[in-house]
Amino acid sequence: MHHPELELDFQGADKQIAVLRLNRAAKRNALNDSLIVALRNTFDSLPSSVRAAVIHGDGDHFCAGLDLAELTERDAGAGLHHSRMWHAALERVQFGPVPVIAALHGAVVGGGLELASACHIRVADQTAFYALPEGSRGIFVGGGGSVRIPRLIGVARMTDMMMTGRIFDATEGERIGMAQYLVPPGQALDRALELAVRVAQNAPLTNYALMHALPRIAEQPADQGLFTEAMMAAIAQSAPEAKERVRAFLDGRAAKVKKS
Ligand code: 1HE
């Protein structure tokens, strides 16, 4: 199961935070097939103590995307299966057991951006930049990018990135919705870990609803979305943990909402 280029570590008092590190800096963390399979296996087999995960990259870049050295003479069938392999792995990131926070720096390009877009929250430092060089390499996205990236930044911006090779820097990236947090150079991992600790404190059913119900509701027609929302709300509030958390607030034992 262990893959030398995908390090897995656990942090927090109860080992609640899984920290995954792409560990292939010499190749700018380019994702070869074995790394993609390892990513999938890791999310399939996280210990039940884990409540949130952080993913980041070693070296100067988050991830240079697909390992182009492996993009050999695939025929159409092999290309289809290759793309589906990426889909299966990134599906386990998005719809796996726990929320995943991406800590981004340097190149977040091609399949690296596809991986980042499968995560639930993105934290970028000022060195991050975003590109989809597939357009200039004569290929197309194949790791779910055409589905997930427009949901972050819109179809028009993704078209522009692929057609013209446009690169967004970290500040622009935060402005257009690539990342939700922008931090000084070198601070993305620390901030992502802080956020993971916070996310891990939520009721597991709330995180489940945010990961599994919210994106589906967003795709549904309004009437169906409202119905799904009502079902999810009813399930979440029926949990003993929800009742206890609400009681704690009413008894003055829980934090108020405070502006920072
Ligand atoms: C690689 C890869 C890679 C670097 N596959 N080997 N992605 C791309 O088109 C991005 C290609 N990479 C780059 O543009 C640059 O490498 C970076 C901007 C990411 C970093 O630049 P730099 O100057 O720090 O590194 P470098 O000198 O370009 O690369 C260092 C080594 O990593 C070098 O190998 P070396 O043996 O000569 O040292 C590079 O060849 C290697 N390397 N990126 C293989 N991507 C599911 S479909 C997804 C489709 C895509 O992702 S297409 C986009 C692919």
Side-chain angles (χ1 to χ4, degrees), residues 56-88:
H56 69 119
D58 187 35
D60 290 340
H61 302 282
F62 173 67
C63 176
L66 174 72
D67 185 336
L68 292 168
E70 283 190 352
L71 189 74
T72 45
E73 311 274 316
R74 284 193 196 106
D75 66 14
L80 171 71
H81 290 304
H82 180 260
S83 171
R84 297 299 287 159
M85 181 185 79
W86 271 67
H87 290 170

Side-chain angles (χ1 to χ4, degrees), residues 16-17 51-54 98-101 120-121 181 191-204 206-208 210-211 245:
Q16 287 195 323
I17 315 296
R51 292 278 175 269
V54 169
V98 292
V100 185
I101 301 171
H120 302 94
I121 298 174
Y181 295 85
R191 188 63 182 276
L193 288 167
E194 272 170 35
L195 292 169
V197 168
R198 174 66 189 80
V199 167
Q201 290 165 11
N202 291 338
T206 299
N207 282 341
Y208 183 88
L210 290 169
M211 292 172 63
R245 284 173 182 242

